[in-house]
Amino acid sequence: MTAHKPFALSLSGGGLSSLAYAGFVDELKKHNLVPSYYAGLSGGAMLGVLLASQLSSLKIIELLKHLETYKVLNFRLKKLEIIDHNKIKTLLRSLLPYKKFDELPTPALVFTSDLIQKRPVVINSGDIASAIIASCGLFPMLQPIKRKGFLLGDGGFTVYYGAQYLREQGIETVIGVDVTGLCEGNVPGIFNALYRQINSSITSNTRYELSQYPVDLDIKITFPAPSIFTINKKTKHLLGLGRHIAQKHLSKIKEIVRNEEV
Protein backbone atom coordinates (compact mmCIF):
# COMPACT_ATOMS: atom_id res chain seq x y z
CA MET A 1 0.00 0.00 0.00
CA THR A 2 1.35 3.40 -1.00
CA ALA A 3 1.25 5.97 1.79
CA HIS A 4 -0.08 9.46 1.20
CA LYS A 5 -0.07 12.55 3.34
CA PRO A 6 -3.22 13.38 5.32
CA PHE A 7 -5.84 15.36 3.44
CA ALA A 8 -9.30 16.72 4.16
CA LEU A 9 -12.25 16.41 1.85
CA SER A 10 -14.60 19.38 2.12
CA LEU A 11 -18.04 18.88 0.62
CA SER A 12 -20.06 21.92 -0.34
CA GLY A 13 -23.87 21.91 -0.52
CA GLY A 14 -26.13 20.37 -3.12
CA GLY A 15 -29.17 18.99 -1.33
CA LEU A 16 -29.88 15.35 -2.05
CA SER A 17 -27.59 15.57 -5.07
CA SER A 18 -24.83 15.37 -2.45
CA LEU A 19 -25.15 11.60 -2.71
CA ALA A 20 -22.67 11.97 -5.58
CA TYR A 21 -20.01 12.61 -2.93
CA ALA A 22 -20.37 8.99 -1.77
CA GLY A 23 -19.53 7.77 -5.27
CA PHE A 24 -16.58 10.16 -5.37
CA VAL A 25 -15.16 8.70 -2.15
CA ASP A 26 -15.85 5.14 -3.34
CA GLU A 27 -13.50 5.74 -6.24
CA LEU A 28 -10.82 7.36 -4.06
CA LYS A 29 -10.81 4.37 -1.73
CA LYS A 30 -10.24 2.00 -4.64
CA HIS A 31 -6.89 3.73 -5.03
CA ASN A 32 -6.10 3.82 -1.28
CA LEU A 33 -6.83 7.54 -1.15
CA VAL A 34 -8.68 7.72 2.16
CA PRO A 35 -9.49 11.21 3.53
CA SER A 36 -8.15 11.91 7.01
CA TYR A 37 -10.82 14.51 7.73
CA TYR A 38 -14.27 15.38 6.38
CA ALA A 39 -16.09 18.69 6.39
CA GLY A 40 -19.32 19.82 4.84
CA LEU A 41 -22.29 22.12 4.75
CA SER A 42 -25.97 21.44 4.06
CA GLY A 43 -26.21 18.18 2.07
CA GLY A 44 -22.42 17.98 2.20
CA ALA A 45 -22.61 18.05 6.01
CA MET A 46 -24.86 15.02 5.98
CA LEU A 47 -22.64 13.10 3.57
CA GLY A 48 -19.47 14.22 5.35
CA VAL A 49 -20.67 12.78 8.63
CA LEU A 50 -21.89 9.54 7.03
CA LEU A 51 -18.58 9.10 5.21
CA ALA A 52 -16.69 9.90 8.41
CA SER A 53 -18.79 7.14 10.00
CA GLN A 54 -17.21 4.83 7.39
CA LEU A 55 -20.56 3.80 5.95
CA SER A 56 -20.62 2.25 2.50
CA SER A 57 -22.60 3.85 -0.32
CA LEU A 58 -25.30 1.20 0.03
CA LYS A 59 -25.62 1.89 3.77
CA ILE A 60 -25.81 5.63 3.09
CA ILE A 61 -28.61 5.13 0.56
CA GLU A 62 -30.44 2.89 3.01
CA LEU A 63 -30.19 5.53 5.74
CA LEU A 64 -31.35 8.34 3.45
CA LYS A 65 -34.39 6.35 2.41
CA HIS A 66 -35.48 6.33 6.05
CA LEU A 67 -35.65 10.13 5.84
CA GLU A 68 -38.43 10.06 3.25
CA THR A 69 -40.29 13.34 3.00
CA TYR A 70 -43.67 12.13 4.21
CA LYS A 71 -42.16 11.01 7.54
CA VAL A 72 -40.87 14.47 8.40
CA LEU A 73 -43.43 16.84 6.89
CA ASN A 74 -44.64 19.67 9.09
CA PHE A 75 -48.41 19.65 9.62
CA ARG A 76 -48.50 22.46 12.19
CA LEU A 77 -49.88 25.54 10.47
CA LYS A 78 -48.37 27.84 13.08
CA LYS A 79 -44.87 26.92 11.98
CA LEU A 80 -43.72 28.06 8.55
CA GLU A 81 -41.52 25.24 7.32
CA ILE A 82 -42.13 22.32 5.01
CA ILE A 83 -40.01 19.84 6.95
CA ASP A 84 -40.48 19.70 10.71
CA HIS A 85 -36.95 20.08 12.07
CA ASN A 86 -37.85 18.38 15.36
CA LYS A 87 -39.16 15.32 13.51
CA ILE A 88 -36.15 15.05 11.23
CA LYS A 89 -33.69 15.69 14.07
CA THR A 90 -35.22 12.91 16.17
CA LEU A 91 -35.32 10.50 13.23
CA LEU A 92 -31.78 11.34 12.14
CA ARG A 93 -30.46 10.93 15.68
CA SER A 94 -31.98 7.44 15.79
CA LEU A 95 -30.41 6.48 12.45
CA LEU A 96 -26.87 7.81 12.84
CA PRO A 97 -24.38 5.11 13.88
CA TYR A 98 -22.49 7.70 15.97
CA LYS A 99 -24.31 10.38 17.93
CA LYS A 100 -21.47 12.73 18.89
CA PHE A 101 -18.52 14.09 16.94
CA ASP A 102 -15.88 12.64 19.24
CA GLU A 103 -17.22 9.13 18.54
CA LEU A 104 -16.61 9.28 14.78
CA PRO A 105 -13.94 6.91 13.39
CA THR A 106 -12.73 9.73 11.10
CA PRO A 107 -12.80 13.34 12.34
CA ALA A 108 -15.42 15.62 10.80
CA LEU A 109 -16.79 19.10 11.16
CA VAL A 110 -19.98 20.81 10.03
CA PHE A 111 -20.29 24.38 8.77
CA THR A 112 -23.33 26.43 9.75
CA SER A 113 -24.10 30.15 9.67
CA ASP A 114 -24.85 32.47 12.55
CA LEU A 115 -27.76 34.34 10.97
CA ILE A 116 -27.62 37.23 13.44
CA GLN A 117 -23.91 38.01 13.16
CA LYS A 118 -23.73 36.73 9.55
CA ARG A 119 -20.62 34.69 10.17
CA PRO A 120 -19.60 31.03 10.04
CA VAL A 121 -20.05 28.71 13.00
CA VAL A 122 -17.91 25.57 12.89
CA ILE A 123 -19.25 22.57 14.81
CA ASN A 124 -17.01 19.61 15.59
CA SER A 125 -18.18 18.63 19.06
CA GLY A 126 -21.40 17.58 20.75
CA ASP A 127 -24.56 16.34 19.07
CA ILE A 128 -24.19 15.49 15.38
CA ALA A 129 -27.86 15.43 14.39
CA SER A 130 -28.62 18.99 15.47
CA ALA A 131 -25.45 20.22 13.74
CA ILE A 132 -26.53 18.65 10.44
CA ILE A 133 -30.06 20.05 10.72
CA ALA A 134 -28.68 23.50 11.51
CA SER A 135 -26.40 23.37 8.47
CA CYS A 136 -29.40 22.48 6.26
CA GLY A 137 -31.63 25.25 7.64
CA LEU A 138 -32.95 26.90 4.50
CA PHE A 139 -36.38 28.56 4.52
CA PRO A 140 -39.01 27.45 3.57
CA MET A 141 -37.75 23.86 3.70
CA LEU A 142 -36.32 24.11 7.22
CA GLN A 143 -36.42 26.98 9.69
CA PRO A 144 -33.17 28.09 11.36
CA ILE A 145 -32.64 26.48 14.75
CA LYS A 146 -31.17 27.61 18.05
CA ARG A 147 -28.09 25.75 19.24
CA LYS A 148 -25.88 26.85 22.13
CA GLY A 149 -27.12 30.43 21.97
CA PHE A 150 -26.80 30.84 18.20
CA LEU A 151 -29.54 31.12 15.59
CA LEU A 152 -28.12 28.82 12.96
CA GLY A 153 -28.96 28.32 9.29
CA ASP A 154 -27.51 26.91 6.10
CA GLY A 155 -23.72 26.80 6.13
CA GLY A 156 -23.68 27.94 2.51
CA PHE A 157 -24.61 31.48 3.52
CA THR A 158 -21.11 32.07 4.93
CA VAL A 159 -18.85 29.17 3.87
CA TYR A 160 -17.92 27.43 0.65
CA TYR A 161 -15.18 24.95 1.56
CA GLY A 162 -13.86 26.51 4.77
CA ALA A 163 -10.24 25.53 4.07
CA GLN A 164 -8.97 27.94 6.75
CA TYR A 165 -10.92 26.12 9.46
CA LEU A 166 -9.63 22.74 8.38
CA ARG A 167 -6.06 24.01 8.39
CA GLU A 168 -6.63 25.23 11.93
CA GLN A 169 -7.24 21.56 12.75
CA GLY A 170 -3.75 20.74 11.46
CA ILE A 171 -4.79 19.47 8.01
CA GLU A 172 -2.58 21.20 5.46
CA THR A 173 -4.05 19.68 2.29
CA VAL A 174 -7.70 20.37 1.48
CA ILE A 175 -9.60 19.09 -1.54
CA GLY A 176 -12.98 20.71 -2.14
CA VAL A 177 -15.81 19.05 -4.04
CA ASP A 178 -19.01 20.85 -5.01
CA VAL A 179 -22.20 19.49 -6.52
CA THR A 180 -23.56 22.26 -8.70
CA GLY A 181 -26.73 22.43 -10.76
CA LEU A 182 -29.01 22.65 -7.71
CA CYS A 183 -31.71 24.59 -9.57
CA GLU A 184 -31.60 22.78 -12.90
CA GLY A 185 -33.67 19.70 -12.11
CA ASN A 186 -37.31 19.02 -11.46
CA VAL A 187 -37.67 21.68 -8.75
CA PRO A 188 -41.03 23.44 -8.29
CA GLY A 189 -41.02 26.99 -9.67
CA ILE A 190 -41.28 28.85 -6.37
CA PHE A 191 -38.26 26.98 -4.97
CA ASN A 192 -36.37 27.33 -8.22
CA ALA A 193 -36.64 31.11 -8.01
CA LEU A 194 -35.71 31.14 -4.33
CA TYR A 195 -32.66 28.93 -4.84
CA ARG A 196 -31.48 31.05 -7.74
CA GLN A 197 -31.62 34.15 -5.54
CA ILE A 198 -29.74 32.39 -2.76
CA ASN A 199 -27.13 31.02 -5.16
CA SER A 200 -26.57 34.51 -6.52
CA SER A 201 -25.75 35.88 -3.07
CA ILE A 202 -23.57 32.88 -2.24
CA THR A 203 -21.51 33.33 -5.41
CA SER A 204 -19.89 36.54 -4.16
CA ASN A 205 -19.00 34.90 -0.83
CA THR A 206 -17.53 31.95 -2.70
CA ARG A 207 -15.27 34.10 -4.86
CA TYR A 208 -13.97 35.96 -1.83
CA GLU A 209 -13.26 32.79 0.15
CA LEU A 210 -11.45 31.05 -2.71
CA SER A 211 -9.30 34.14 -3.29
CA GLN A 212 -8.34 34.43 0.38
CA TYR A 213 -8.34 30.78 1.48
CA PRO A 214 -7.94 28.59 -1.61
CA VAL A 215 -8.21 24.81 -1.50
CA ASP A 216 -5.50 22.66 -3.05
CA LEU A 217 -7.97 21.36 -5.62
CA ASP A 218 -11.48 22.59 -6.44
CA ILE A 219 -13.61 19.93 -8.13
CA LYS A 220 -17.08 20.54 -9.58
CA ILE A 221 -19.69 17.84 -10.17
CA THR A 222 -22.16 19.48 -12.54
CA PHE A 223 -25.45 17.96 -13.67
CA PRO A 224 -29.20 18.55 -13.54
CA ALA A 225 -30.16 17.91 -9.93
CA PRO A 226 -32.92 15.54 -8.83
CA SER A 227 -35.74 16.94 -6.77
CA ILE A 228 -36.58 15.55 -3.34
CA PHE A 229 -39.30 13.49 -5.04
CA THR A 230 -37.06 11.64 -7.50
CA ILE A 231 -34.02 10.72 -5.41
CA ASN A 232 -34.92 7.01 -5.30
CA LYS A 233 -34.72 6.91 -9.09
CA LYS A 234 -31.43 8.78 -9.20
CA THR A 235 -29.20 6.96 -6.72
CA LYS A 236 -27.24 4.88 -9.25
CA HIS A 237 -26.83 7.89 -11.51
CA LEU A 238 -25.53 10.08 -8.67
CA LEU A 239 -23.08 7.49 -7.39
CA GLY A 240 -21.85 6.77 -10.89
CA LEU A 241 -21.35 10.42 -11.62
CA GLY A 242 -19.35 10.88 -8.43
CA ARG A 243 -17.10 7.96 -9.36
CA HIS A 244 -16.64 9.32 -12.89
CA ILE A 245 -15.55 12.75 -11.64
CA ALA A 246 -13.12 11.16 -9.18
CA GLN A 247 -11.59 9.11 -12.01
CA LYS A 248 -11.27 12.24 -14.11
CA HIS A 249 -9.28 14.03 -11.38
CA LEU A 250 -7.43 10.99 -10.03
CA SER A 251 -3.95 11.83 -11.32
CA LYS A 252 -4.17 15.37 -9.96
CA ILE A 253 -5.40 14.14 -6.57
CA LYS A 254 -2.54 11.64 -6.38
CA GLU A 255 -0.08 14.39 -7.20
CA ILE A 256 -1.46 16.67 -4.48
CA VAL A 257 -1.48 14.08 -1.70
CA ARG A 258 1.76 12.34 -2.66
CA ASN A 259 4.00 11.84 0.35
CA GLU A 260 7.46 13.05 -0.65
CA GLU A 261 9.04 11.08 2.22
CA VAL A 262 7.79 7.70 0.95
Side-chain angles (χ1 to χ4, degrees):
M1 181 181 294
T2 303
H4 62 76
K5 60 185 178 183
F7 71 97
L9 197 65
S10 185
L11 309 174
S12 194
L16 289 173
S17 302
S18 299
L19 184 58
Y21 298 139
F24 187 92
V25 172
D26 278 348
E27 189 62 29
L28 292 189
K29 289 183 175 180
K30 287 181 182 178
H31 299 271
N32 296 320
L33 297 169
V34 182
S36 307
Y37 214 116
Y38 288 95
L41 59 91
S42 192
M46 172 77 81
L47 266 292
V49 165
L50 297 181
L51 290 166
S53 301
Q54 299 183 0
L55 295 184
S56 67
S57 295
L58 291 179
K59 288 290 185 182
I60 289 174
I61 292 170
E62 187 178 309
L63 186 148
L64 292 177
K65 286 182 178 179
H66 283 289
L67 297 174
E68 290 173 311
T69 309
Y70 74 89
K71 294 182 180 179
V72 293
L73 284 177
N74 171 44
F75 297 105
R76 294 179 294 175
L77 297 179
K78 292 182 179 180
K79 198 160 191 177
L80 296 177
E81 60 180 2
I82 295 172
I83 295 175
D84 187 314
H85 74 263
N86 286 319
K87 284 183 181 179
I88 194 169
K89 182 170 62 176
T90 300
L91 181 56
L92 182 59
R93 192 174 283 151
S94 71
L95 293 170
L96 290 172
Y98 303 97
K99 315 303 179 186
K100 297 185 179 298
F101 281 92
D102 61 6
E103 299 172 352
L104 290 169
T106 304
L109 59 81
V110 167
F111 297 120
T112 66
S113 299
D114 177 347
L115 300 180
I116 304 299
Q117 299 294 327
K118 297 182 180 179
R119 64 180 182 85
V121 174
V122 180
I123 304 176
N124 61 356
S125 64
D127 179 62
I128 293 175
S130 61
I132 292 174
I133 300 306
S135 187
C136 295
L138 180 62
F139 180 82
M141 295 301 294
L142 272 169
Q143 287 277 17
I145 70 170
K146 291 182 179 179
R147 189 182 193 271
K148 296 186 177 181
F150 296 103
L151 182 64
L152 300 177
D154 196 292
F157 289 126
T158 56
V159 179
Y160 186 50
Y161 290 134
Q164 68 271 40
Y165 304 108
L166 285 159
R167 290 182 177 126
E168 287 173 3
Q169 302 298 318
I171 302 293
E172 295 181 3
T173 304
V174 180
I175 295 173
V177 188
D178 180 28
V179 174
T180 59
L182 177 60
C183 299
E184 297 171 22
N186 184 24
V187 180
I190 185 173
F191 300 133
N192 191 299
L194 176 64
Y195 290 157
R196 286 189 183 280
Q197 183 178 3
I198 291 169
N199 285 346
S200 177
S201 65
I202 289 173
T203 298
S204 59
N205 293 335
T206 298
R207 288 173 179 164
Y208 173 78
E209 181 185 305
L210 290 180
S211 68
Q212 297 297 311
Y213 308 103
V215 292
D216 295 273
L217 184 60
D218 180 8
I219 297 174
K220 298 290 193 297
I221 303 177
T222 306
F223 64 101
S227 75
I228 58 175
F229 305 107
T230 61
I231 186 65
N232 288 337
K233 300 177 182 178
K234 296 286 187 176
T235 52
K236 289 184 180 179
H237 172 68
L238 292 169
L239 292 175
L241 188 60
R243 295 186 186 107
H244 171 72
I245 296 299
Q247 290 171 0
K248 183 178 177 180
H249 291 85
L250 197 58
S251 61
K252 186 65 175 178
I253 294 171
K254 287 181 176 179
E255 179 183 337
I256 288 171
V257 304
R258 184 176 58 219
N259 192 335
E260 300 293 349
E261 297 179 0
V262 176

